[in-house]
Amino acid sequence: MGLYDKFTRFVEERQKFQVSGINPFGTCIDEIYSATEGRIGDKRIILAGSNNYLGLTFDAEAIQESQEALRLQGTGTTGSRMANGTFGSHLALEQEIAAFFDLSTAIVFSTGYTANLGVISALATPDAVVIIDEDSHASIYDACALGGAQIIRFRHNDAKDLERRMQRLGEKAKEAIIIVEGIYSMLGDVAPLKEIVDIKRRYGGYILVDEAHSFGVMGEKGRGLVEDLGVEADIDIILGTFSKSLAAIGGFAVGGKQLDVLRYCSRPYIFTASPSPASIASVRASLRQVGHSKALREKLWTNAHRLYKGLADLGYKLGERVSPVVPVMIESKEAGLEMWRALVEKGVYVNLVLPPAAPFGMTLLRCSVNAAHSDEQIDAIIRAFAELKA
Ligand code: PMP
């Protein structure tokens, strides 16, 4: 058997989508003009498929501070956090993140994926039980597999199902690690955290929340869903990424004092290079914006409502909740691909998401808005979808 023979079916499946027109998977955006515009081939397009929720990728201060870090500290750390890749700026950012959450300890990782892998795999050892939402991000599944824990899945956002599974665990529930997300990246819905906290109060256990898509987006101060629902005191660890609202690359975990021990027992912390000084500098600048700029969050939500209403009025089937992620549900993969290509032709870039990346066998045209989109751009996205109906 050839090295790649096991992928034959996968290759055939993908080829069906690539016979003509541009490839929806790994689409090359040939030029980026701003947080909201770019070019694909000869088309100037509105970017409506990123995770750049606060629109900070071109923030002048973040760019200037990032350039200064490049000049003063070089292009990379060339080492891991544990060995030779911790600079003063990494520690400063950790303190700033901890202060932002009003918690004692934060740890910076190389990506959001590595943050989940690092924290969860260290805790989810073979003697542990983790209970995760079935619709969890791949990094959460991979982390549990790396740690070797017993994995129990509960139905997406179904607190009653979670409770049944905690009940069945008996005494073991007291040490179970429950993992959920803030905003779920595909459907834009949020974990029923109040109910989950109530379950923890009655059965015991620990709660980890991945706020990748809700940090900077929800909560009075932008701390995420946990802040929005006022359940901060009941959450053990918050995980996050720099690759969405913070507009760079890297990840973090934040929690109580004891979190610090994970630095010494987390392979994904120890055995990979740390984020570059330029990334750290831009994240520090963007974090200040998240803290100070309620206006950005307000504009983001105004845009989310505008797009949601526009698409709902056209009769599209959307996620049940208004969110910066607006998933348009399409009846088949083929129809999804055709619509995705037509949207690019009309100057709008969204994400085509097929199962298993999309949950429950769905095909999605995943739109996402950011705080930098103008009303005119949101209306242009709606117009493009209206033309598809026509
Ligand atoms: N958690 C969730 C919920 C995510 O959606 C993602 C990325 N899409 C990650 C973690 C990983 O973050 P990163 O891409 O920054 O590694």
Side-chain angles (χ1 to χ4, degrees):
M1 184 160 137
L3 189 57
Y4 301 106
D5 285 357
K6 60 185 154 209
F7 303 112
T8 304
R9 239 194 59 212
F10 176 80
V11 170
E12 282 168 3
E13 172 84 356
R14 290 287 130 158
Q15 272 167 352
K16 274 198 261 163
F17 288 93
Q18 288 165 23
V19 275
S20 65
I22 52 170
N23 178 2
F25 308 109
T27 312
C28 176
I29 298 168
D30 296 291
E31 273 187 282
I32 302 285
Y33 303 126
S34 69
T36 59
E37 283 192 306
R39 177 176 66 77
I40 296 179
D42 58 4
K43 281 272 167 239
R44 195 176 175 103
I45 43 153
I46 298 172
L47 300 168
S50 75
N51 302 311
N52 187 12
Y53 298 118
L54 298 180
L56 290 175
T57 46
F58 282 78
D59 180 71
E61 223 168 274
I63 289 175
Q64 197 255 322
E65 288 179 31
S66 185
Q67 284 171 335
E68 190 66 0
L70 258 177
R71 200 175 63 76
L72 294 174
Q73 298 174 57
T75 51
T77 65
T78 74
S80 82
R81 292 297 316 275
M82 176 66 102
N84 38 18
T86 293
F87 292 1
S89 56
H90 294 84
L91 297 183
L93 176 56
E94 285 178 345
Q95 281 174 8
E96 287 156 10
I97 293 170
F100 185 79
F101 280 91
D102 208 9
L103 287 166
S104 45
T105 306
I107 306 181
V108 163
F109 291 84
S110 304
T111 62
Y113 180 89
T114 329
N116 279 350
L117 212 59
V119 168
I120 297 168
S121 71
L123 297 170
T125 43
D127 52 342
V129 178
V130 284
I131 307 195
I132 64 177
D133 186 291
E134 65 180 342
D135 193 15
S136 289
H137 188 257
S139 57
I140 295 172
Y141 276 100
D142 293 354
C144 295
L146 181 64
Q150 181 193 348
I151 305 170
I152 298 172
R153 292 185 290 178
F154 65 93
R155 280 207 294 273
H156 177 57
N157 276 353
D158 186 339
K160 287 210 168 62
D161 192 38
L162 168 64
E163 178 163 5
R164 271 192 297 275
R165 287 163 200 279
M166 287 290 274
Q167 226 164 21
R168 269 185 231 151
L169 278 176
E171 275 301 294
K172 269 181 146 182
K174 290 193 178 121
E175 275 135 43
I177 302 169
I178 301 165
I179 307 176
V180 294
E181 296 176 26
I183 292 179
Y184 282 84
S185 62
M186 291 300 150
L187 298 181
D189 49 352
V190 301
L193 260 188
K194 279 196 168 163
E195 289 90 329
I196 293 173
V197 161
D198 180 56
I199 291 169
K200 173 185 164 175
R201 286 188 185 151
R202 288 184 287 117
Y203 292 84
Y206 305 95
I207 304 179
L208 274 56
V209 183
D210 179 349
E211 298 263 24
H213 294 266
S214 32
F215 178 81
V217 168
M218 298 187 78
E220 176 73 14
K221 298 196 175 78
R223 288 172 178 168
L225 177 67
V226 170
E227 183 197 13
D228 196 57
L229 296 178
V231 293
E232 288 170 302
D234 293 282
I235 305 303
D236 295 278
I237 301 176
I238 291 174
L239 296 145
T241 175
F242 300 158
S243 70
K244 306 187 194 305
S245 287
L246 291 168
I249 183 161
F252 69 89
V254 63
K257 232 190 193 131
Q258 287 173 308
L259 179 71
D260 207 58
V261 72
L262 297 191
R263 291 184 202 272
Y264 307 98
C265 337
S266 168
R267 294 169 68 84
Y269 177 81
I270 298 169
F271 294 106
T272 195
S274 61
S276 72
S279 287
I280 295 293
S282 77
V283 169
R284 293 180 69 189
S286 295
L287 182 61
R288 289 200 303 272
Q289 290 262 25
V290 173
H292 294 137
S293 192
K294 243 175 99 177
L296 281 179
R297 241 178 325 283
E298 281 165 7
K299 178 68 172 124
L300 169 65
W301 282 98
T302 304
N303 283 346
H305 280 276
R306 193 178 184 97
L307 182 63
Y308 191 96
K309 180 172 185 315
L311 296 181
D313 287 349
L314 289 171
Y316 281 105
K317 190 165 172 231
L318 308 176
E320 60 194 31
R321 192 186 150 101
V322 178
S323 129
V325 175
V326 183
V328 179
M329 296 168 190
I330 308 299
E331 58 281 4
S332 71
K333 290 182 190 176
E334 291 72 19
L337 178 65
E338 201 177 310
M339 289 172 76
W340 180 84
R341 287 206 172 115
L343 286 169
V344 173
E345 274 306 305
K346 293 174 192 306
V348 173
Y349 173 75
V350 301
N351 306 125
L352 174 66
V353 194
L354 305 180
F360 315 118
M362 291 176 180
T363 291
L364 302 176
L365 290 171
R366 175 190 181 272
C367 310
S368 61
V369 294
N370 73 46
H373 282 121
S374 64
D375 289 355
E376 292 70 30
Q377 287 174 323
I378 301 287
D379 291 346
I381 300 167
I382 297 166
R383 247 190 336 271
F385 272 95
E387 288 168 15
L388 293 189
K389 283 264 177 191

